[in-house]
């Protein structure tokens, strides 16, 4: 052990010596251009900041941000688009969390899948255990679709442990709150698709009657957790915000919300109104369905919030203004959730998912996905502004990537959504057949669409997949309705299997380095909040 300590001391001393040398002694040999260059100064500032970081690994609060489907290429393209929307060339900018002092690469595979899904990946982040694709809150011994296999294979999550410790907890998502990523924080299910009882096909699978659907598990979270662990007394999730009202309402038009899109909004075939059950369970809580209700929340006096802003997923950020009843942005939800949760002097654990980055990519719409990624960056900035980095660990990562590419040889500052224009050129580059092509593309999916000013990325599903090259000479590919070409035609673009990034700031951030398993995210949360062993 003494030899290990001596070795670490030598390494640390070497780093300190090297950093000091780089910042002063080498100045005599650096050119004025280098010394005055903003990139050089930024590099030195980054080293200095890291050396000055607190080495504490304990935090009062932890916020986990998950950009669903936000691979490395998405980060790069979103960064450039953000800069270009601000009137800059784009490449030199940063998303809010890209300025964090520590980062690493994360391996995303599931136990049974080389290219993963969101259920297995989020279960790994929440529990510290890799699991199979398509299952929630259970280990790899579960059999997907078999209810009986859940019992005995449940895993405890960071959110559950935070509840047991007496911390406040919250789950936010722009997807349905019963969708895979948010559901992995609280549910135990042999199939991610069992969002309500109508999804379980119990009439043809009688054994599934012994399993509780995901929406019901959310409302009964407090009771279920107390039954699972003898002697545990918790008060339930304090803040829940997202979409997915249909899974909480009976299949009866009498229960339709004012902004229902379908003739019958609810899907539940058991007659239960889970929103009413939640309100009866928590009389001091507020059930919210629109922007007006959201704006009226008093964060100092409100004890808990259950907000379902849409029948299905919330709107894409680019399409949010078109919502019938209005719905808040991810950054607005994040800010309000923090203000409610930080009323607990013991601290809190909050999970924030930008679920529709993933959906934009599945629809083959780079514009849609990237605008949601930019809003995700805004939400992280909102959290930074609302917290103290000496007591709050912020983790930003993704569950998986997409088959989304940045290619060709476009010149600096070329519109990231545009056609490739080479260095020194003014006209688009051409392929071997003489046709222009875009910088961004997908290797599979629905393919080419020219929908003009359409802001709903899902409009692409109205037509069959189109593969191969199209003549885009006269088409403005920077419009919100343009969907990139693909090589392999599919009914939906797929996930990709490469590593994703993780960025951290706050107590314990320094533990994130190198290439890590996705399950390490749980252990970062656990170490920061001291959850295991209570």
């Amino acid at each position: 052990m003494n030899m290990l300590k001596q070795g670490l001391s030598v390494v640390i001393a070497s780093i300190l010596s090297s950093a000091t040398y780089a910042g002063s002694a080498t100045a005599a040999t650096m050119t004025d251009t280098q010394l005055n260059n903003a990139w050089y100064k930024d590099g030195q500032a980054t080293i200095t900041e890291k050396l000055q970081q607190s080495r504490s690994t304990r935090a009062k609060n932890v916020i986990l941000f998950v950009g669903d489907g936000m691979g490395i290429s998405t980060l790069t393209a979103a960064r450039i688009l953000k800069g270009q929307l601000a009137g800059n060339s784009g490449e030199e900018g940063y998303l809010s969390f890209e300025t964090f002092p520590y980062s690493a690469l994360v391996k995303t595979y599931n136990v049974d899948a080389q290219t993963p899904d969101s259920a297995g990946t989020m279960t790994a982040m929440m529990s510290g255990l890799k699991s199979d694709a398509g299952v929630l809150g259970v280990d790899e011994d579960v059999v997907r679709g078999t209810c009986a296999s859940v019992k005995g294979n449940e895993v405890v999550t960071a959110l559950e442990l935070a509840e047991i410790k007496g911390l406040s907890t919250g789950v936010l998502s722009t997807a349905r709150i019963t969708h895979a990523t948010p559901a992995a924080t609280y549910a135990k299910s042999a199939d991610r698709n069992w969002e309500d009882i109508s999804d379980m096909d119990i009439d043809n699978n009688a054994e599934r009657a012994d399993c509780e659907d995901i929406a019901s598990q959310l409302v009964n979270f407090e009771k279920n957790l107390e039954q699972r662990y003898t002697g545990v007394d918790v008060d339930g999730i304090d803040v829940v915000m997202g979409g997915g009202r249909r899974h909480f309402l009976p299949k009866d038009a009498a229960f339709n919300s004012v902004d229902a899109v379908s003739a019958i909004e609810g899907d539940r075939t058991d007659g239960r109104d889970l929103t009413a059950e939640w309100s009866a369970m928590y009389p001091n809580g507020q059930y919210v369905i629109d922007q007006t209700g959201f704006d009226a929340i008093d964060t100092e006096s409100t004890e808990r919030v259950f907000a379902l802003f849409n029948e299905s997923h919330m709107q894409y950020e680019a399409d949010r203004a078109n919502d019938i009843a209005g719905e808040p942005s991810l950054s607005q939800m994040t800010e309000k959730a923090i203000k409610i949760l930080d009323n607990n002097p013991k601290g809190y654990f909050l999970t924030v998912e930008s679920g529709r980055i993933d959906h934009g990519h599945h629809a083959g719409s780079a514009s849609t996905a990237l605008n949601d990624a930019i809003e995700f960056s805004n939400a992280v900035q909102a959290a930074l502004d609302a917290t103290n980095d000496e007591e709050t660990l912020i983790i930003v990562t993704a569950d998986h990537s997409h088959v989304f590419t940045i290619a060709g040889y476009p010149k600096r500052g070329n519109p990231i959504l545009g056609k490739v224009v080479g260095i020194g050129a003014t006209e688009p580059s051409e392929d071997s057949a003489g046709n222009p092509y875009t910088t961004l593309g997908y290797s599979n999916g629905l393919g080419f669409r020219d929908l003009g000013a359409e802001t709903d990325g899902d409009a692409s599903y109205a037509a069959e997949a189109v593969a191969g090259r199209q003549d885009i000479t006269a088409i403005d590919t920077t419009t919100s309705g343009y969907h990139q070409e693909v090589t392999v035609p599919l009914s939906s673009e797929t996930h990709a299997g490469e590593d994703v990034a993780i960025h951290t700031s706050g107590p314990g951030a320094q533990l994130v380095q190198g290439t890590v398993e996705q399950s390490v995210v749980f252990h970062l949360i656990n170490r920061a909040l001291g959850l295991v062993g209570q």
Side-chain angles (χ1 to χ4, degrees), residues 483-503:
H483 293 235
Q484 285 70 25
E485 297 163 289
V486 301
T487 304
V488 180
L490 294 174
S491 60
S492 177
E493 180 264 3
T494 72
H495 296 173
E498 73 267 17
D499 298 349
V500 297
I502 182 171
H503 298 81

Side-chain angles (χ1 to χ4, degrees), residues 99-422:
T99 63
F100 283 7
Y102 294 94
S103 62
L105 291 174
V106 180
K107 297 189 285 183
T108 64
Y109 65 92
N110 297 142
V111 169
D112 61 349
Q114 191 173 74
T115 296
D117 95 313
S118 297
T121 51
M122 192 60 174
T123 294
M125 287 190 271
M126 281 291 99
S127 69
L129 293 172
K130 291 260 188 179
S131 190
D132 290 345
V135 299
L136 296 166
V138 288
D139 64 29
E140 64 185 271
D141 291 329
V142 75
V143 178
R144 184 171 184 177
T146 302
C147 171
S149 68
V150 172
K151 189 172 180 58
N153 291 319
E154 303 97 331
V155 294
V156 67
T157 70
L159 183 139
E160 291 170 330
L161 289 169
E163 277 284 322
I164 292 170
K165 189 172 182 176
L167 305 182
S168 289
T169 56
V171 183
L172 313 180
S173 179
T174 53
R176 294 191 297 270
I177 205 65
T178 50
H179 215 235
T181 303
T185 66
Y186 62 82
K188 319 295 174 189
S189 181
D191 198 307
R192 58 172 287 175
N193 295 321
W194 294 349
E195 295 185 61
D196 73 63
I197 193 169
S198 71
D199 300 320
M200 299 176 71
D201 192 22
I202 291 175
D203 290 342
N204 296 310
N205 299 273
E207 68 100 23
R208 293 180 185 175
D210 293 329
C211 277
E212 184 178 18
D213 65 79
I214 294 167
S216 180
Q217 287 189 55
L218 175 57
V219 172
N220 289 327
F221 173 83
E222 179 180 346
K223 179 184 71 175
N224 290 344
L225 186 58
E226 290 175 345
Q227 289 178 346
R228 191 173 295 122
Y229 300 105
T230 304
V232 163
D233 183 20
V234 299
D235 65 359
I237 306 173
D238 301 274
V239 178
V240 176
M241 296 183 188
R245 265 198 316 263
R246 71 189 193 197
H247 298 299
F248 296 85
L249 298 174
K251 195 171 185 177
D252 183 339
F255 291 87
N256 281 9
S257 306
V258 294
D259 62 343
V261 177
S262 303
I264 300 177
E265 180 178 24
D267 279 354
R268 301 196 65 85
T269 53
D270 56 4
R272 293 173 64 191
D273 178 357
L274 297 185
T275 66
E277 290 184 22
W278 183 90
S279 295
M281 198 179 302
Y282 301 108
N284 294 327
Q286 292 188 40
Y287 172 59
V288 174
I289 66 169
D290 55 21
Q291 184 75 52
T292 300
F294 176 84
D295 292 340
I297 296 172
D298 183 342
T299 57
E300 296 307 308
S301 61
T302 299
E303 293 183 13
R304 67 182 67 238
V305 173
F306 185 28
L308 298 173
F309 295 110
N310 209 296
E311 179 179 315
S312 183
H313 302 302
M314 292 179 68
Q315 303 289 348
Y316 287 116
E317 179 60 23
D319 205 39
R320 190 162 54 85
N322 295 325
D323 189 74
I324 297 172
E327 58 184 40
S329 66
L330 186 63
S331 53
Q332 290 171 337
M333 290 194 293
T334 299
E335 181 180 13
K336 186 146 292 191
I338 291 172
K339 288 182 177 179
I340 295 171
L341 296 175
D342 69 8
N343 292 326
N344 185 347
K346 292 183 179 180
Y348 61 82
F349 172 60
L350 172 64
T351 299
V352 181
E353 185 213 15
S354 178
R356 308 230 67 194
I357 299 172
D358 177 69
H359 300 162
H361 280 318
H362 279 308
S365 173
S367 175
T368 302
L370 298 182
N371 275 287
D372 269 62
I374 292 171
E375 173 54 25
F376 178 72
S377 172
N378 294 339
V380 175
Q381 186 60 54
L384 287 169
D385 295 341
T387 58
N388 181 342
D389 64 1
E390 294 184 357
E391 62 181 21
T392 302
L393 170 62
I394 297 180
I395 303 170
V396 182
T397 189
D399 47 357
H400 56 75
S401 183
H402 275 269
V403 292
F404 176 62
T405 60
I406 306 173
Y409 295 100
K411 62 184 177 182
R412 172 80 182 276
N414 195 61
I416 191 64
L417 293 170
K419 301 162 190 169
V420 171
V421 178

